[in-house]
Amino acid sequence: MTSTQARRARVAGLSTLDRLLPVWIGAAMLAGLLLGRLVPGIGSALSAIELDGVSLPIALGLLVMMYPVLAKVRYDRLRDVTADRKLMASSLVLNWLAGPALMFALAWLLLADLPEYRTGLIIVGLARCIAMVIIWNDLACGDREAAAVLVALNSLFQVVCFALLGWFYLSVLPGWLGLPQTGIDVSPVHIAKSVVIFLGIPLLAGYLSRRLGERAKGRDWYEGRFVTRIGPWALYGLLFTIVILFALQGHQITSRPWDVARIALPLLVYFAIMWAGGYALGVLLRMGYARTTTLAFTAAGNNFELAIAVAIATYGAASGQALAGVVGPLIEVPVLVALVYVSLALRPRL
């Protein structure tokens, strides 16, 4: 069977939900924008449903989205991932050295005249992805166990380094370069809470599901029946999250299209460079398709929920910094969906 025939066979075996994923995501984005634009007060109503600054509708969507994927992880294989020093070191360099530095450079190069948006983008660059990247990696047939480990590693570094890097990139480095300085007000406790909600809860649920399910009925039943039944809920959760997220800021996004376009440009460049850089590094180090894909997506993704929450808490819900955070997923979702298909097209070559 040729590689083209193999790709066609895989596509034919997909469900309607999987085959038409870009259509559903586009419809969810449009539905969210229309809700936010046409339904008076829906953004305020959704924003009010929160617990200590955490949006409950978005949290619910992310939990529903992440649980099925984390329930598929074979936790007995995690030791093999942590022993891969090339993967672990590459991820740390891309996420915590290259990513924030690249976003800082792009924000200053392309938004030098718009300080609020520039600051918001720098905050986005500091918030490394711990949630939605799980599903992009799974759709692209990346290494599920490696994704779980790298996301957990990002979470630990996020708690320890986010506030410190924010201070460095918003205050110290601009001062060294003779540029205007600003500040950031976020506590490690707030970041730890975000990590517990968006990673800790679904990770624990996924681990317990596999442990208890395999113990009760065996691995064949667990992977052949249970995982198959819960699998579609990952995409349902993704679509729900997209609708809620875009409804929250639909009016603001549609009423300021030029500002959105200005913010979108550095984001597009950022996602392209980070994904391509991660992919190139994985190929150079001969990691194989699955781990190369995981490295690329974990490098390109960002924790939009944390970035938006920090921007709102520090600068206010109506601030330019908050708008920059909201535009992040507006660009990230369609770009990374497209990169899922790029990855799958490259798969036969690796």
Side-chain angles (χ1 to χ4, degrees):
M1 181 182 290
T2 67
S3 61
T4 301
Q5 290 173 326
R7 279 201 301 274
R8 288 175 179 171
R10 284 197 300 270
V11 170
L14 295 174
S15 67
T16 302
L17 180 65
D18 291 327
R19 285 201 302 271
L20 299 179
L21 181 61
V23 176
W24 307 136
I25 288 178
M29 293 170 63
L30 180 60
L33 290 173
L34 290 176
L35 280 174
R37 182 72 182 182
L38 301 177
V39 179
I42 191 171
S44 300
L46 290 172
S47 298
I49 310 173
E50 62 178 30
L51 178 63
D52 197 18
V54 177
S55 169
L56 291 185
I58 291 179
L60 176 63
L62 289 174
L63 292 176
V64 172
M65 178 189 76
M66 292 180 67
Y67 166 69
V69 180
L70 291 171
K72 295 176 185 178
V73 171
R74 289 192 174 182
Y75 292 91
D76 55 348
R77 294 181 177 176
L78 297 186
R79 186 175 298 177
D80 175 58
V81 177
T82 57
D84 189 340
R85 295 182 179 179
K86 292 188 296 185
L87 177 67
M88 303 292 281
S90 298
S91 179
L92 287 176
V93 169
L94 287 170
N95 276 286
W96 297 101
L97 293 178
L102 176 62
M103 189 68 91
F104 175 87
L106 290 172
W108 273 99
L109 284 172
L110 300 175
L111 297 173
D113 58 326
L114 298 169
E116 290 189 359
Y117 298 156
R118 183 181 67 229
T119 299
L121 279 189
I122 292 172
I123 293 173
V124 170
L126 299 176
R128 312 312 302 167
C129 195
I130 65 169
M132 200 170 279
V133 71
I134 292 285
I135 200 162
W136 305 138
N137 177 76
D138 208 52
L139 289 170
C141 301
D143 188 317
R144 201 172 282 143
E145 288 70 33
V149 169
L150 295 185
V151 163
L153 187 65
N154 273 348
S155 301
L156 295 175
F157 269 77
Q158 204 150 232
V159 173
V160 175
C161 299
F162 185 90
L164 180 63
L165 286 173
W167 169 71
F168 176 77
Y169 279 104
L170 294 174
S171 182
V172 176
L173 185 56
W176 290 349
L177 299 175
L179 301 171
Q181 300 167 271
T182 185
I184 187 171
D185 181 19
V186 59
S187 71
V189 173
H190 178 82
I191 300 169
K193 179 178 64 181
S194 174
V195 168
V196 168
I197 292 172
F198 298 123
L199 178 62
I201 292 174
L203 185 61
L204 178 62
Y207 172 78
L208 290 176
S209 293
R210 179 170 281 278
R211 185 76 179 269
L212 298 176
E214 288 189 355
R215 181 180 296 176
K217 296 197 174 183
R219 177 164 289 184
D220 290 341
W221 173 87
Y222 182 84
E223 295 189 345
R225 297 189 63 183
F226 180 75
V227 166
T228 302
R229 288 180 181 177
I230 66 171
W233 283 93
L235 297 183
Y236 300 153
L238 171 65
L239 297 175
F240 174 81
T241 302
I242 291 170
V243 171
I244 297 298
L245 182 66
F246 282 57
L248 280 168
Q249 298 290 338
H251 181 78
Q252 193 173 11
I253 290 172
T254 55
S255 63
R256 300 161 74 175
W258 176 243
D259 288 356
V260 170
R262 288 289 306 271
I263 298 168
L265 179 58
L267 283 168
L268 284 169
V269 176
Y270 171 84
F271 292 132
I273 291 177
M274 289 301 297
W275 186 89
Y279 213 94
L281 184 58
V283 171
L284 182 66
L285 296 177
R286 299 184 178 182
M287 292 184 184
Y289 173 80
R291 290 192 176 176
T292 294
T293 297
T294 300
L295 181 65
F297 278 100
T298 51
N302 291 89
N303 186 351
F304 61 82
E305 175 64 15
L306 176 61
I308 294 169
V310 169
I312 290 175
T314 306
Y315 305 103
S319 65
Q321 290 89 342
L323 178 61
V326 169
V327 174
L330 174 71
I331 305 304
E332 178 175 341
V333 168
V335 168
L336 292 191
V337 169
L339 290 174
V340 165
Y341 287 90
V342 173
S343 289
L344 293 173
L346 292 172
R347 189 179 183 187
R349 302 185 182 185
L350 294 178

